[in-house]
Amino acid sequence: MSVTVALTLDEALTALATDPAATVLAGGTDLMVELNGGHRRAASVVAVNRVRELRSWRHDPAAGTLWLGAAVTYTEIAQEPIAALVPALAQAARTVGSPQIRNAATLGGNVGTASPAGDGLPVLAALDAVVHLASAGATRDVPFAEFATGPKRTVLQPGELITGVTVPVLHGYQGYSKVGVRNAMVIATASACLAVDVASRSVRFAMGSVGPVILRAPEAEAIAAAAADFDAGTIPSEVVERFGAAAGAAARPIDDHRSTAAYRRRAIEVLARRLLARAFPAGAPIGGDA
Amino acid sequence: MSPTPDAGEIGADHVGTNQIYVLHVNGQDREVRDAWVGESLLYVLRERLGLMGSKGACEQGECGSCSVLVDDELVCGCLVLAATAVGQRIVTIEGIAPVGAPSDVQQAFVDAGAVQCGFCTPGLIMATHALLDRSPEPTEYEIREELSGNVCRCTGYGRIIDAVQRVAVARRGATSGGAS
């Protein structure tokens, strides 16, 4: 086994071009668990968590976008100034592991591991994030929805590296919610992100731990968008119920050692209703100005 | 993006299978010899460098008993590939205070009865120092959240939170006393 510690993007891509079979190591919070436990062997490792370019981020107010380098940690995402730009991602970040885990765990690592339970991933799905990939001499962008092809399977090719993620900076409520057996250090039994985009009059809803990949709930989104008053910030309370049912129907959960399919579907219904009610807090306007 | 390394910057470090590498631990450069390059920082600290203060339990980042600082960030030593920490500042519980002269946090844990079997204590001491360095007057909620990555199976946490609060109060008193 050999270990290359890249400090620049060039060094990382050169190392991966020389040895495309190398295992990429970012924060170590997934890979080291497998190496420590002997569940995975790596002939060579390219560590990218100290790559300067990947540790940076950039807000482009004119474009209304935020580019986050792949090695930005969840501790950084949970704090200002990033938190104000993508509040749901900051909320998700705060549910990742513990302070020790958040200090190490990276956004790119979360995307690359492509676990259906990845805490940040429902947010990236709801925001229609773009994943940026690079290899020596080439780059390509992949819509988040197309990046993962199954549990822990992605379109990433040998020699390719996740360099970052771009998300839109939206105007409107966004929130994240997660069900687990405790608040800290827990893998999601079910998780969800709801994001309102006032400009496009849309409601986006994505779910984790209830399918082979992160799922959107297009029917639920359409129900909410059609009934919401985006200017007043209201939605009829019966729509909240229908939204929850439609979200639950879009889930594709399974029974496993962590929970049952029935419980997970129920959890999604509750999370969906809760998030929509938070997004449009005044279910029925009081005082007759409607 | 066009990466251009600064002049004089060191290039990518490459560590081969049984190559000797150097870790900067508690202010000293320590050679790691006869080690497999896939070993975690926790394993190297304990088994190669003889620093037994960091404890190994879950080996998957769940328990926090191996908490150390790497470039001032609190992390689980078990989740750091040791060879990737070349050139970084590593601080372990042994670097917090010399034997016989405990830090204020260590003394507060003793005074508050926050130590029972003691296995989690080094990790909790590291996490408490990191917490109080960043947030000198944490609320109880903040203490609970910030120490949530350190599992203790003896105390029920009440006396640990008490110990953290004692340090915060004592430091505030020391600060205001010095200012008057």
Side-chain angles (χ1 to χ4, degrees), chain A residues 1-5 7 10-11 25 27-28 32-33 36 47 50 52-53 94 98-101 103 182 184-185, chain B residues 3 9 11-15 17 36-38 59-62 67 73-74 78-79 84 86 88 145-146 148-150:
Chain A
M1 181 172 169
S2 70
V3 176
T4 300
V5 183
L7 299 178
D10 259 355
E11 289 172 0
L25 170 66
M32 286 302 292
V33 174
N36 289 343
R50 292 165 70 183
R52 188 187 327 118
E53 298 93 328
R94 199 168 161 191
S98 64
Q100 288 91 328
I101 301 298
N103 283 342
R182 59 177 283 221
M185 285 310 313
Chain B
E9 172 145 1
D13 278 302
H14 187 84
V15 185
T17 306
W36 173 56
V37 75
E59 310 269 334
Q60 51 184 340
E62 299 256 354
S67 296
E73 295 281 2
L74 185 75
C78 72
L79 298 183
T84 68
V86 169
Q88 294 186 295
E145 184 170 5
E146 291 300 307
S148 63
N150 294 80

Side-chain angles (χ1 to χ4, degrees), chain A residues 133-190:
Chain A
L133 309 178
S135 52
T139 61
R140 65 178 176 131
D141 293 341
V142 180
F144 180 80
E146 295 167 21
F147 182 75
T149 56
K152 304 194 174 182
R153 288 200 299 275
T154 74
V155 299
L156 202 65
Q157 296 297 305
E160 237 176 0
L161 180 68
I162 301 169
T163 54
V165 170
T166 294
V167 291
V169 177
L170 301 181
H171 295 287
Y173 171 88
Q174 47 183 264
Y176 174 86
S177 211
K178 169 176 164 181
V179 173
V181 292
R182 59 177 283 221
N183 278 341
M185 285 310 313
V186 77
I187 294 173
T189 301

